[in-house]
Amino acid sequence: MTTTTALEEELRRLAGSVPDPELPVLTLEDLGVLRAVHVRGEGAVDVELTPTYTGCPAVEAMTMDIERVLHEHGVREVSVRTVLSPAWSTDDISDEGRRKLREFGIAPPRGGRGTGPVAVGLGPTRTITTAAQDAHEPVCCPHCGSSDTELLSRFSSTACKALRRCLSCREPFDHFKEL
């Protein structure tokens, strides 16, 4: 168990306040990608960041923004390290982040996963798996709250979102896919 100092907590708050470059309505803290901040010495800090998926193009922008914010607050040397374990999942998005997504017109990922092994079903397409999940826990429209929605495309403006449409209010919307 490691303990965090008051300075590390303050620096983590600053780094966590950086907006996500792809979803600026969320901060890195809301998204759950900021894992730790360690003071290494006087004026030197190590930051641990977990990308939403390996190869995420936003990591470089997140790194530069964290460095900029911490430099602006007097930290001379900032080292941002990518940490892949434990892997990020949509369960890491905070309740505040889920609320912000909904208010921004993006359906947040559905409920959390249990612990332990994850059953993977094989089928001709992943859409079948999504339809089965929709029947169990539907994706609700962030505009009107209806659960009568349909999948239009498994991908939207970013790889982590799907494009859906509400069959009640007829508005299209993004859905932050579960991972």
Side-chain angles (χ1 to χ4, degrees):
M1 180 175 183
T2 58
T3 52
T4 339
T5 67
L7 177 59
E8 288 170 331
E9 298 244 350
E10 175 64 14
L11 295 172
R12 181 186 169 92
R13 187 190 61 73
L14 289 168
S17 70
V18 168
D20 177 72
E22 291 182 336
L23 288 166
V25 67
L26 296 180
T27 65
L28 299 185
E29 185 69 32
D30 294 332
L31 194 55
V33 296
L34 183 66
R35 297 295 189 194
V37 174
H38 305 285
V39 173
R40 187 167 21 99
E42 190 172 325
V45 170
D46 291 331
V47 177
E48 295 176 357
L49 187 67
T50 299
T52 55
Y53 61 94
T54 54
C56 175
V59 168
E60 186 175 329
M62 290 178 192
T63 298
M64 289 188 310
D65 289 345
I66 289 170
E67 289 172 349
R68 178 186 46 75
V69 164
L70 294 180
H71 288 309
E72 287 172 358
H73 286 83
V75 179
R76 188 176 24 84
E77 186 180 329
V78 178
S79 173
V80 178
R81 186 170 59 97
T82 299
V83 176
L84 300 178
S85 179
W88 179 88
S89 86
T90 47
D91 293 344
D92 294 326
I93 298 175
S94 69
D95 290 342
E96 177 69 6
R98 291 170 189 271
R99 184 192 62 76
K100 288 178 179 176
L101 284 171
R102 208 173 291 110
E103 285 182 5
F104 195 65
I106 298 172
R110 289 172 280 198
R113 289 182 297 187
T115 57
V118 176
V120 178
L122 301 176
T125 67
R126 292 184 61 121
T127 303
I128 290 173
T129 302
T130 301
Q133 191 175 17
D134 282 356
H136 177 67
E137 185 178 355
V139 175
C140 293
C141 173
H143 305 295
C144 73
S146 171
S147 61
D148 193 13
T149 64
E150 69 178 349
L151 179 67
L152 296 177
S153 173
R154 289 184 284 163
F155 298 98
S156 185
S157 58
T158 62
C160 54
K161 292 183 286 186
L163 181 61
R164 299 188 70 94
R165 175 177 44 203
C166 178
L167 299 175
S168 294
C169 71
R170 311 300 296 171
E171 288 293 323
F173 63 91
D174 282 336
H175 168 226
F176 202 115
K177 296 184 280 191
E178 295 81 18
L179 182 63

